[in-house]
Amino acid sequence: MSQRNLSVKNKIHNSINKILDKKNLKKLYLKFTKKFKIKSSFAVAVSGGPDSLALAFLSKVYAEKNRLTTKYFIVNHKLKQNSTKEALVTKRLLRKLKINAKILTWKGKKPKSNIQALARNKRYELLINECKKLKVNHLLLGHHADDKLENFLIRLTRGSGLRGLVSFSETSNFNGICLERPLLDFNKKELIYLTSNIFKNFINDPSNEN
């Protein structure tokens, strides 16, 4: 490793240690490591919201401490007028942690109905394809405890049977890639607190309120 790269590594370690000196932040990191035990390279999907930015921080600390290679992806659906700007803002926020994220852009004709579901499918397609290209087997997603409850209630109102009511799990397999959800024990307030302390800013998506 070159002297320059070693210097950057040391700066990252010092920055991380300084952050973890704060009792509440260290407590949240230790909570993260109780269940997240991956010992190989992984990728992280980041939207710019408080959930995924918190995941970016926690996974970055974990990767540094365990000397793991990580990749960070931002999906630009091109469905909103300012989607490209938001993707670039997210990329800049991640640079605070010396993360050079890659923006994956949805190209081609966009749907006019069933937009949320189709956008979700396209997001997974872009992320999975990138993971396979880089031979990364684990993809981290920012779903948290509030998402899990919300998903359960949505299925309940749709009349799902007992099997259908089982909400998303911590680990699942999608097209040969392991989807990891290490934040399911975290609530939204914890993640906002963490992101506000680390990044000082995040992106609010109005569609999440619907």
Side-chain angles (χ1 to χ4, degrees):
M1 183 181 290
S2 69
Q3 193 66 36
R4 183 169 178 271
N5 287 338
L6 189 60
S7 175
V8 171
K9 280 281 185 184
N10 288 335
K11 284 181 181 178
I12 293 172
H13 279 298
N14 291 337
S15 176
I16 285 172
N17 288 332
K18 189 175 181 180
I19 292 170
L20 294 182
D21 281 341
K22 296 181 180 180
K23 186 178 179 180
N24 288 341
L25 297 182
K26 185 174 183 178
K27 185 178 178 181
L28 290 173
Y29 173 68
L30 292 176
K31 180 177 179 178
F32 177 78
T33 59
K34 279 185 178 179
K35 289 189 176 180
F36 190 67
K37 304 291 184 183
I38 290 177
K39 296 301 179 185
S40 59
S41 61
F42 58 83
V44 184
V46 187
S47 67
D51 322 332
S52 64
L53 285 174
L55 178 60
F57 165 72
L58 294 169
S59 62
K60 176 67 174 179
V61 176
Y62 181 88
E64 288 295 324
K65 287 184 173 293
N66 291 277
R67 298 183 180 181
L68 299 176
T69 300
T70 54
K71 300 292 181 182
Y72 292 81
F73 304 131
I74 302 163
V75 174
N76 179 7
H77 294 92
K78 287 275 189 178
L79 290 171
K80 296 188 295 183
Q81 190 173 3
N82 62 341
S83 65
T84 298
K85 181 181 177 182
E86 287 185 352
L88 292 172
V89 168
T90 303
K91 188 176 176 74
R92 283 197 294 272
L93 285 172
L94 291 174
R95 282 186 185 141
K96 291 184 178 183
L97 295 179
K98 301 295 186 292
I99 292 173
N100 184 23
K102 181 176 182 179
I103 298 175
L104 309 177
T105 303
W106 180 4
K107 298 176 182 178
K109 191 175 180 181
K110 305 299 185 291
K112 293 185 178 179
S113 61
N114 199 23
I115 296 172
Q116 292 283 357
L118 292 173
R120 183 176 61 248
N121 292 340
K122 191 63 182 182
R123 179 166 65 250
Y124 279 111
E125 180 186 325
L126 288 167
L127 291 166
I128 295 298
N129 287 345
E130 198 66 24
C131 284
K132 288 190 171 184
K133 190 189 302 182
L134 298 173
K135 297 182 179 179
V136 174
N137 296 321
H138 298 273
L139 174 64
L140 276 57
L141 305 172
H143 297 127
H144 51 83
D146 299 63
D147 288 328
K148 192 172 184 179
L149 175 60
E150 180 184 325
N151 190 53
F152 176 86
L153 293 174
I154 288 172
R155 293 184 182 197
L156 184 64
T157 59
R158 288 176 179 172
S160 293
L162 185 59
R163 184 183 296 274
L165 285 174
V166 177
S167 193
F168 42 57
S169 57
E170 291 178 357
T171 302
S172 58
N173 189 287
F174 187 86
N175 202 11
I177 300 295
C178 290
L179 303 182
E180 310 283 350
R181 301 179 178 89
L183 300 183
L184 291 184
D185 287 340
F186 288 77
N187 61 53
K188 186 84 172 181
K189 286 184 179 179
E190 289 176 312
L191 300 175
I192 290 176
Y193 173 81
L194 202 160
T195 295
S196 298
N197 273 271
I198 303 301
F199 297 97
K200 314 300 180 189
N201 192 19
F202 56 82
I203 292 170
N204 271 312
D205 184 357
S207 66
N208 288 334
E209 303 301 324
N210 187 344

